[in-house]
Amino acid sequence: MKNQKKAIALRYDDNYDAPIVTAAGMGKVADKIIEKAKENQVPIVVNEEMANLLNNVDVGDSIPQELYGAIAEIIAFVMNVDKKLDRR
């Protein structure tokens, strides 16, 4: 099951100390998370290593401090995509 698909949903608002995990799953659950993201036009970033690391974080918990830099890069990328699509 090493190569089973994983999906993690994050939420971040300016008033949060750190992004929080709002959904996480593998296999069919991961497929549903991705499906819902697409339905709601939520940007999807494919990063297997990050998914593996975040899969160990409980839903509702903030991401670990050691992942702040990597997640900040992902959030910046998503914000840039949103800006280009004029979706702010």
Side-chain angles (χ1 to χ4, degrees), residues 11-20:
R11 178 178 176 94
Y12 178 74
D13 285 319
D14 289 338
N15 59 339
Y16 287 11
D17 290 332
I20 60 169

Side-chain angles (χ1 to χ4, degrees), residues 12-65:
Y12 178 74
D13 285 319
D14 289 338
N15 59 339
Y16 287 11
D17 290 332
I20 60 169
V21 174
T22 58
M26 298 186 312
K28 290 182 181 185
V29 174
D31 290 336
K32 282 290 189 186
I33 293 169
I34 294 166
E35 178 183 320
K36 287 294 182 186
K38 288 178 180 177
E39 286 174 8
N40 292 287
Q41 298 180 337
V42 173
I44 297 170
V45 175
V46 178
N47 185 321
E48 185 177 349
E49 182 180 0
M50 188 61 59
N52 287 332
L53 292 169
L54 290 172
N55 197 49
N56 297 315
V57 179
D58 291 333
V59 172
D61 285 354
S62 297
I63 64 164
Q65 189 170 7

Side-chain angles (χ1 to χ4, degrees), residues 47 50 53 63 65-77:
N47 185 321
M50 188 61 59
L53 292 169
I63 64 164
Q65 189 170 7
E66 51 271 11
L67 298 180
Y68 282 11
I71 295 296
E73 288 180 27
I74 291 171
I75 291 171
F77 171 78

